[in-house]
């Protein structure tokens, strides 16, 4: 009769239960692993034979068959090694233990029977708890990460021999220090270092307060990238649920810098403009998460957005709307969350000095350059502002502007106003996440404001998406002053947030 031991695998950012079934049959000594495992799973047979070739254990001299159930789902990774070894030892009667059904096992075996830490432990332990597993055994290097999950007993060991001694009752487990720590990089950037850009910073604060996408257009060296890199310093802290979800993504991607530490600072991802579609959206042989998922609950900064491949940019359209992306492959697909704030920067023309004497770009070249960003992408960016060069006198004065702490207080006050409004509504934490039904309920206009928006809508034939985005941005402007209603000046400010149409709009709001 086959021995059955519980382990876990990952699909997207979520784990699921895998039963490791081991049996031996008469025949030529060999080891076969079935259940749609990848190369790392298939190679486990060599690691098993080497790790069990020691005085404490003996590898069965029979035909060994190991099945990973469910067998119709593709599995990857080397973390099944420990579960395979335990099930093989139980079947060959080298290990006797009670209540094995209450245990789950995760870990990679070395050739000397040591347990190596592996990636993706956090979502697998969450899956174990949800499946009713009471105890989970992991490598000692993963114990702090596994301990982030409450409601399950976590045991960490260094060798296979220690695990077997514990399961058989020969030794007792000595609890390790597994305190949950938060991981947050030291804040080395501050908005008080930005000089002479108070106008654009005001809109950036509004974007941070409402979670709105933003585009900055300006000449080289005017401070676009400098401002963008400081946006995370004014964003509110992650909630416990957001921190756990963000940490899960980085654990699955193998990018968790400090195992056992919860990510509490919002991610900031800035891919290079030669990034491929797969690197942005996610993909590869294992359908791994891309930059948009790694920026989940944080900021995705696209510097020189006009230099990005047009197809790569257009691939962002659906994820920006759905807040999730499904990476499909022939035999499986993974769904990753991607609720990010898009911040982009670009030059006004190919040379970057449009409107200045040293610009030599023709009108056709300027038009062609700006058309690299498709209309649907522009339509999804709520705030589009020009960034003007800083005058010499302001640079030479070294006068410090508002600090990140001061700006963050404004953002926190507006977010607090929004949290009260959306209390009890799932997956809506800021104005940018409002559904059409919520926009209809919370974005009612005063007659004067409605008149201004109607003139702009009829004159420039905005899309329904743009109409809703104007209302959301206006709602955020009102929240900055804790106004229950959207006033005329809030609508005017929202309309002026799009500098690409600023010249025409100024005539309407005067």
């Amino acid at each position: 009769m086959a021995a059955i031991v519980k382990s876990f695998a990952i699909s997207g950012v979520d784990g699921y239960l895998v039963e490791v079934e081991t049996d031996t049959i008469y025949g030529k000594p060999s080891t076969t692993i079935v259940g749609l495992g990848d190369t790392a799973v298939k190679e486990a047979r060599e690691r098993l034979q080497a790790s069990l070739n020691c005085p404490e254990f003996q590898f069965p001299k029979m035909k060994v068959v190991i099945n990973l159930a469910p067998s119709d789902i593709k599995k990857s990774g080397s973390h099944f090694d420990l579960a395979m070894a335990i099930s093989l030892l139980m079947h060959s009667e080298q290990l006797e233990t009670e209540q094995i059904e209450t245990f789950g096992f995760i870990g990679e075996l070395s050739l000397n029977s040591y347990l190596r830490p592996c990636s993706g432990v956090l979502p697998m332990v969450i899956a174990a708890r949800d499946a009713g597993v009471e105890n989970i055994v992991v490598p000692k290097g993963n114990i702090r990460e596994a301990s982030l999950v409450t409601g399950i007993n976590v045991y960490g060991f260094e060798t296979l021999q220690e695990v077997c001694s514990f399961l058989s009752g020969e030794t007792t487990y000595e609890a390790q220090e597994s305190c949950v720590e938060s991981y947050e990089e030291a804040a080395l950037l501050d908005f008080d270092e930005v000089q002479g850009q108070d106008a654009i910073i005001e809109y950036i604060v509004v974007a941070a307060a409402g979670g709105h996408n933003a585009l900055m257009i300006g000449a080289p060296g005017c401070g676009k990238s400098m401002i963008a890199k400081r946006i995370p310093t004014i964003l509110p802290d992650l909630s416990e649920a957001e921190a756990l979800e963000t940490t899960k993504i980085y654990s699955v991607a193998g990018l968790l810098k400090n195992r056992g530490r919860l990510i509490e600072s919002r991610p900031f991802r800035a891919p290079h403009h030669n990034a491929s579609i797969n690197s942005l959206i996610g993909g590869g042989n294992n359908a791994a998460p891309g930059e948009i998922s790694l920026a989940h609950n944080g900021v995705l900064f696209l510097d020189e957005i006009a230099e990005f491949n047009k197809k790569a940019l257009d691939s962002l359209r659906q994820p920006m709307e759905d807040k999730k992306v499904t990476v499909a492959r022939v035999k499986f697909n993974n769904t990753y969350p991607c609720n990010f704030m898009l911040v982009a920067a670009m030059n006004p023309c190919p040379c970057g000095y449009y409107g200045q004497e040293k610009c030599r770009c023709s009108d056709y070249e300027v038009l062609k350059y700006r058309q690299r960003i498709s209309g649907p992408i522009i339509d999804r960016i709520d705030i589009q502002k020009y960034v003007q060069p800083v005058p010499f006198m302001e640079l030479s004065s070294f006068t410090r502007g508002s600090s990140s702490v001061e700006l963050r207080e404004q953002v926190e006050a507006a977010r607090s106003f929004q949290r009260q409004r959306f209390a009890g509504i799932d997956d809506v934490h800021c104005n940018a996440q409002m559904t059409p039904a919520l926009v209809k309920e919370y974005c009612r206009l005063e007659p004067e404001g409605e008149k201004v928006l109607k003139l702009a809508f009829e004159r420039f034939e905005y899309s329904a998406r743009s109409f809703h985005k104007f209302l959301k941005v206006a709602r955020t402007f009102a929240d900055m002053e804790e106004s229950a209603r959207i006033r005329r000046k809030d609508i005017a400010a929202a309309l002026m947030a799009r500098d690409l149409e600023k010249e025409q709009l100024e005539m309407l709001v005067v």
Side-chain angles (χ1 to χ4, degrees):
M1 188 175 181
I4 302 176
V5 171
K6 294 176 182 177
S7 188
F8 304 89
I10 294 174
S11 176
V13 292
D14 298 316
Y16 62 92
L17 177 65
V18 173
E19 291 187 340
V20 179
E21 305 171 338
T22 303
D23 201 355
T24 55
I25 56 179
Y26 290 104
K28 183 179 179 180
S30 62
T31 303
T32 304
I33 301 175
V34 296
L36 284 183
D38 66 353
T39 303
V41 175
K42 299 294 185 184
E43 290 177 345
R45 56 177 176 259
E46 277 75 24
R47 293 194 294 272
L48 282 174
Q49 292 179 10
S51 61
L52 296 182
N53 186 22
C54 60
E56 294 88 347
F57 308 118
Q58 183 177 3
F59 198 86
K61 293 180 171 55
M62 300 177 68
K63 183 175 182 180
V64 178
V65 180
I66 300 175
N67 179 44
L68 305 180
S71 301
D72 60 340
I73 302 178
K74 189 174 179 63
K75 304 168 189 70
S76 62
S78 58
H79 59 275
F80 299 108
D81 292 3
L82 179 58
M84 292 180 187
I86 296 297
S87 63
L88 183 57
L89 291 173
M90 289 183 61
H91 182 75
S92 60
E93 299 181 351
Q94 300 181 63
L95 173 63
E96 294 183 2
T97 180
E98 298 179 356
Q99 297 181 337
I100 191 65
E101 66 275 2
T102 65
F103 279 85
F105 299 89
I106 302 170
E108 175 188 334
L109 283 175
S110 73
L111 300 184
N112 292 324
S113 302
Y114 285 94
L115 297 181
R116 288 199 175 102
C118 46
S119 60
V121 167
L122 181 59
M124 288 190 283
V125 175
I126 293 175
R129 180 195 61 188
D130 296 343
V133 176
E134 300 175 7
N135 310 290
I136 190 77
V137 176
V138 298
K140 198 170 183 179
N142 287 122
I143 186 171
R144 292 170 65 187
E145 181 181 351
S147 297
L148 295 173
V149 184
T150 57
I152 188 171
N153 300 319
V154 179
Y155 300 96
F157 298 96
E158 290 186 342
T159 65
L160 177 60
Q161 289 85 346
E162 291 179 2
V163 177
C164 294
S165 296
F166 168 71
L167 293 175
S168 62
E170 295 178 4
T171 59
T172 58
Y173 180 73
E174 296 182 5
Q176 307 289 326
E177 267 191 43
S178 57
C179 57
V180 177
E181 298 182 19
S182 61
Y183 171 71
E184 188 169 1
E185 293 182 355
L188 301 177
L189 305 176
D190 199 293
F191 263 100
D192 63 4
E193 300 167 340
V194 182
Q195 297 177 259
Q197 296 294 359
D198 294 341
I200 183 63
I201 289 177
E202 179 183 353
Y203 276 90
I204 290 299
V205 171
V206 171
H212 303 292
N213 301 324
L215 169 65
M216 293 178 284
I217 311 163
C222 64
K224 304 185 297 296
S225 300
M226 187 178 186
I227 293 172
K229 292 175 182 178
R230 284 157 177 76
I231 291 178
T233 65
I234 64 174
L235 291 174
D237 290 331
L238 289 169
S239 66
E240 184 178 350
E242 288 176 328
L244 192 60
E245 190 173 31
T246 303
T247 307
K248 277 174 57 177
I249 296 173
Y250 277 74
S251 177
V252 169
L255 299 176
L256 207 56
K257 292 182 179 179
N258 294 270
R259 297 184 187 274
R261 290 188 174 183
L262 200 64
I263 296 176
E264 288 190 345
S265 57
R266 294 190 179 270
F268 180 84
R269 305 293 298 184
H272 192 264
H273 58 74
N274 70 347
S276 64
I277 295 178
N278 283 352
S279 66
L280 283 176
I281 303 301
N285 294 332
N286 297 325
E291 291 291 336
I292 61 174
S293 296
L294 297 175
H296 181 59
N297 292 324
V299 176
L300 177 66
F301 176 46
L302 302 184
D303 198 8
E304 304 297 344
I305 186 173
E307 302 296 337
F308 278 78
N309 182 279
K310 191 171 184 179
K311 289 185 178 180
L313 283 180
D314 286 339
S315 67
L316 299 176
R317 287 155 59 174
Q318 183 179 352
M320 289 173 68
E321 291 294 316
D322 298 341
K323 307 303 180 186
K324 62 181 180 180
V325 59
T326 299
V327 182
R329 291 296 179 263
V330 175
K331 294 184 179 180
F332 68 100
N333 58 68
N334 291 337
T335 299
Y336 299 108
C338 56
N339 184 15
F340 58 89
M341 174 184 171
L342 175 65
V343 178
M346 65 176 290
N347 295 329
C349 66
C351 75
Y353 299 101
Y354 182 74
Q356 302 182 30
E357 291 185 4
K358 52 185 173 180
C359 178
R360 295 294 181 266
C361 300
S362 65
D363 292 342
Y364 175 77
E365 290 174 327
V366 174
L367 180 63
K368 200 72 175 175
Y369 180 76
R370 296 188 180 184
Q371 285 179 342
R372 293 181 183 178
I373 309 175
S374 64
I377 290 294
I378 289 291
D379 200 36
R380 286 168 168 81
I381 300 178
D382 311 47
I383 297 174
Q384 308 158 16
K385 294 295 294 180
Y386 283 109
V387 183
Q388 303 300 330
V390 182
F392 172 78
M393 293 303 295
E394 293 193 35
L395 281 176
S396 60
S397 65
F398 294 103
T399 303
R400 289 186 173 272
S402 300
S403 67
S404 293
V405 174
E406 297 170 343
L407 299 179
R408 185 171 181 169
E409 290 177 356
Q410 300 177 34
V411 173
E412 287 281 8
R415 284 290 181 105
S416 176
F417 203 61
Q418 295 169 44
R419 280 192 293 268
Q420 295 176 15
R421 179 186 302 126
F422 303 129
I425 302 177
D426 294 334
D427 301 326
V428 178
H429 308 288
C430 59
N431 290 334
Q433 299 171 357
M434 283 193 291
T435 62
L438 294 176
V439 170
K440 184 177 180 180
E441 181 177 356
Y442 296 115
C443 297
R444 296 188 178 276
L445 304 177
E446 294 180 347
E448 288 297 320
E450 185 176 354
K451 181 180 178 181
V452 172
L453 186 56
K454 181 181 178 182
L455 288 172
F457 187 81
E458 292 177 349
R459 175 75 65 86
F460 300 104
E461 300 180 351
Y462 288 122
S463 66
R465 181 189 293 112
S466 294
F467 175 72
H468 281 173
K469 286 191 177 294
F470 280 130
L471 293 179
K472 293 176 184 179
V473 174
R475 178 68 269 171
T476 304
F477 272 101
D479 290 343
M480 297 296 292
E481 298 180 6
E482 298 187 0
S483 172
R485 295 188 63 85
I486 299 177
R487 301 154 299 182
R488 181 182 184 274
K489 68 175 186 177
D490 300 324
I491 287 293
L495 292 173
M496 297 300 291
R498 295 200 173 197
D499 273 356
L500 297 180
E501 300 107 2
K502 181 177 178 181
E503 293 81 5
Q504 293 89 346
L505 290 174
E506 282 180 341
M507 301 173 59
L508 295 174
V509 297
V510 170

